[in-house]
Amino acid sequence: MNRSVQENLNRWRLILGKSADEGLSTTGHYSSDHFEYAEADEILDYLYNREYSEEQGYRQKAGGRGATQLTVPKWLHQMRTLFPKQTAEILEKQALDRYGLSELLTDKKLLESLEPNMNLLKNIMQFKGRMKGAVLKSAKEIVRKVVEDLQRQLESNVRMTINGKRNRYSSSTVKSLRNLNIKKTITRNLKHYDKARSRFVIDRLYFDGNVQSCNPWEVIIGVDESGSMLDSVIYSSVMASIFYKINALRTRLFIFDTQVVDLSDRLDDPVDLLMSVQLGGGTHITKALRYGETMIENPGRTMFILVSDLEEGYPIQHMYRACKDIIDSGAKLFVLTALNFEGEAVYNRQAAQTLANMGAHVAAITPNELADWIADTIR
C-alpha cells in the first residue's frame, strides 16, 4: 500500500480509537517523519477511552496485546515527548476539565510539571480544597506566577488609562505628545525668539503631570463566586488589586454566594485573595448589594461594580429594589455580566435589560474596557 495512503489510514485510526475494525500499520516507519502512531494510539486511548463503556453501547475488544497500562505520570511524560506543546496543553486541559484526572493537581511532582497558564489557574481554584501541605504550597506558587504575568499584561495600560487625566500645574518626566503643554512651552521659550531670522527656537519642551486626587473615587466591587463566573472572579480580583495601588481610587472588594465575604484587606496580595475564593453554592445577589451599600460614604464619587450573571436565587424584585436604591443615592452602578477576554457571556438577559432601563450601566467587557469605563467616569 502507498505510504501516504497508509499514513492517512493511520490518522483516521487514531481518531476512531481502538474500537475501529482495522488496526494501525505495523510495517516499517509509520510516516516520513518517523511519527510513532502506536505510541500516539496508546496515549490517546488512555485519555479518550473514558468516553466509551458498555453502558453506552460500546463493547471493548478482548485480547491482551496492548502495552503495559499507563499511569498518569507516564502518560504525561510520553504525551509531552511525542506531541508539540500546543497539542499537549489541549490534552492536559481535557484531562482536567473533561475527565477529572485530579491526580494532576494532587501530586506535587505532576502539578509542578504542568505549564502555568490561565487554564491551570482555574483548575487549581476548583481543586484547591483537596490540596494540602506541599501540594498546596506548590499550587500557590503556580497561581502567583500566572497572576503576576496577568498583572504585567494589564497594569501599565490600566495605570495609563486611569491616571491619564492631565494636571497643568505639575510637570511630568513622561515625554509624550499627549502630555505636551503647548501654551507653557511657547511662553517659557519666547526669550529664545530669533528676530534676525524670524524664527521661534524651542529650548525646552514642557509636559503636564497626572492628577493626584486628594479626594479619591470609591470603587466597590462585588463578585458572584458561582462556578459559572470563574473567569470573572479571577479578572475581578486582579483588577481590584491593580486599582488598590492607584491613588485616584479607593477600592473595596467582596465576593458572595448566599453569604458575603469582604476581601478588601487582602487586595495587596491577589494570590491570597484568589485562594480564599470558594466556588459554587447558591446566589443571593440582593444580600450582596445591601452589604455593598453599607460601604458607600460619598455616593457622588462612588462606582459600585456588580460582577454577576444576574441569576438570583431569591425573589428578583428585591434585587431590583436594591439596585434602584444604589442608583437613587447618586452612586454609579456598573453591572458586569462577564469580565474576561473570552467573548459573549451567559446571563439573565431580562434582568440585565431591567437594570439598564433603571439607569445601571450593563455590559460584558474586557478588563481594559473596565479601566476605560472608570477613567471616563472620573473625568
Side-chain angles (χ1 to χ4, degrees):
M1 184 181 292
N2 181 281
R3 181 182 295 275
S4 62
V5 172
Q6 184 60 63
E7 185 173 337
N8 287 335
L9 288 175
N10 279 343
R11 290 176 181 272
W12 274 109
R13 167 60 180 72
L14 290 180
I15 294 172
L16 295 172
K18 289 186 176 180
S19 297
D21 290 335
E22 299 294 332
L24 289 164
S25 169
T26 57
T27 59
H29 293 303
Y30 300 135
S31 75
S32 56
D33 59 0
H34 301 247
F35 184 78
E36 295 292 342
Y37 281 102
E39 187 176 355
D41 189 41
E42 183 182 27
I43 292 168
L44 296 175
D45 183 67
Y46 180 77
L47 184 63
Y48 294 113
N49 194 47
R50 290 167 171 76
E51 291 281 349
Y52 309 108
S53 67
E54 292 189 9
E55 289 78 9
Q56 294 171 299
Y58 296 96
R59 186 179 298 278
Q60 298 296 323
K61 286 190 172 183
R65 297 177 298 168
T68 303
Q69 186 174 3
L70 288 175
T71 61
V72 173
K74 187 176 180 182
W75 172 79
L76 192 63
H77 172 74
Q78 289 185 202
M79 182 264 293
R80 288 179 172 172
T81 301
L82 184 64
F83 293 110
K85 181 180 178 182
Q86 185 176 9
T87 303
E89 288 184 1
I90 292 172
L91 292 173
E92 287 176 11
K93 183 178 188 300
Q94 294 206 337
L96 288 166
D97 295 350
R98 189 166 181 171
Y99 302 114
L101 288 186
S102 58
E103 188 177 344
L104 290 170
L105 298 177
T106 55
D107 182 294
K108 183 175 183 292
K109 289 185 178 179
L110 289 178
L111 177 62
E112 291 175 347
S113 71
L114 297 176
E115 182 70 23
N117 54 36
M118 189 66 166
N119 182 68
L120 181 56
L121 168 57
K122 290 191 285 186
N123 276 288
I124 287 174
M125 289 185 65
Q126 290 173 315
F127 281 90
K128 69 182 188 302
R130 298 171 59 179
M131 298 176 178
K132 300 184 184 303
V135 175
L136 184 59
K137 183 178 179 180
S138 293
K140 286 184 177 181
E141 289 307 309
I142 291 172
V143 171
R144 187 171 301 282
K145 183 177 187 338
V146 178
V147 168
E148 287 177 352
D149 286 346
L150 188 57
Q151 280 186 303
R152 278 192 290 271
Q153 294 172 32
L154 294 171
E155 188 162 7
S156 60
N157 180 69
V158 171
R159 284 183 172 276
M160 181 177 68
T161 300
I162 294 178
N163 285 333
K165 188 176 181 181
R166 295 192 299 168
N167 180 1
R168 294 180 293 111
Y169 304 104
S170 67
S171 298
S172 171
T173 58
V174 179
K175 297 177 173 58
S176 70
L177 184 60
R178 179 181 180 181
N179 288 352
L180 179 63
N181 187 323
I182 297 176
K183 182 177 179 180
K184 186 174 181 180
T185 297
I186 293 174
T187 302
R188 294 289 180 89
N189 286 282
L190 283 175
K191 60 185 176 182
H192 301 299
Y193 183 74
D194 188 338
K195 295 183 179 180
R197 299 183 180 181
S198 299
R199 186 173 63 179
F200 186 69
V201 179
I202 301 294
D203 181 61
R204 178 184 171 185
L205 296 173
Y206 291 85
F207 299 88
D208 294 331
N210 292 327
V211 169
Q212 298 296 323
S213 176
C214 59
N215 185 17
W217 277 77
E218 300 276 354
V219 178
I220 300 169
I221 306 175
V223 186
D224 181 347
E225 63 172 350
S226 60
S228 61
M229 298 296 295
L230 179 53
D231 280 34
S232 296
V233 170
I234 293 171
Y235 282 109
S236 297
S237 299
V238 172
M239 293 297 284
S241 294
I242 294 173
F243 296 155
Y244 172 75
K245 294 183 284 186
I246 296 176
N247 291 338
L249 306 175
R250 186 163 65 183
T251 306
R252 312 278 186 85
L253 174 72
F254 63 88
I255 57 175
F256 65 91
D257 45 29
T258 56
Q259 300 297 320
V260 178
V261 179
D262 195 330
L263 298 174
S264 301
D265 61 345
R266 301 187 184 186
L267 288 175
D268 59 334
D269 186 355
V271 176
D272 181 44
L273 193 160
L274 284 172
M275 295 302 281
S276 302
V277 174
Q278 299 295 330
L279 298 167
T283 307
H284 199 339
I285 301 175
T286 303
K287 186 174 186 177
L289 290 166
R290 292 303 185 189
Y291 179 85
E293 192 177 14
T294 66
M295 295 179 167
I296 299 175
E297 297 177 2
N298 183 354
R301 294 183 68 83
T302 298
M303 289 172 272
F304 194 123
I305 302 172
L306 173 67
V307 185
S308 175
D309 58 10
L310 299 177
E311 295 294 347
E312 172 66 295
Y314 293 79
I316 201 164
Q317 293 302 325
H318 296 170
M319 182 187 83
Y320 294 149
R321 179 73 258 174
C323 287
K324 189 171 190 310
D325 287 346
I326 290 171
I327 294 170
D328 288 347
S329 75
K332 297 185 180 297
L333 178 61
F334 298 153
V335 179
L336 306 186
T337 55
L339 180 65
N340 56 47
F341 288 101
E342 302 305 318
E344 189 172 355
V346 177
Y347 58 96
N348 186 328
R349 293 181 180 275
Q350 182 177 349
Q353 186 61 60
T354 300
L355 295 179
N357 291 344
M358 69 172 62
H361 304 271
V362 183
I365 62 176
T366 68
N368 289 332
E369 288 170 329
L370 174 59
D372 291 340
W373 210 357
I374 289 177
D376 289 342
T377 300
I378 291 175
R379 295 167 195 170

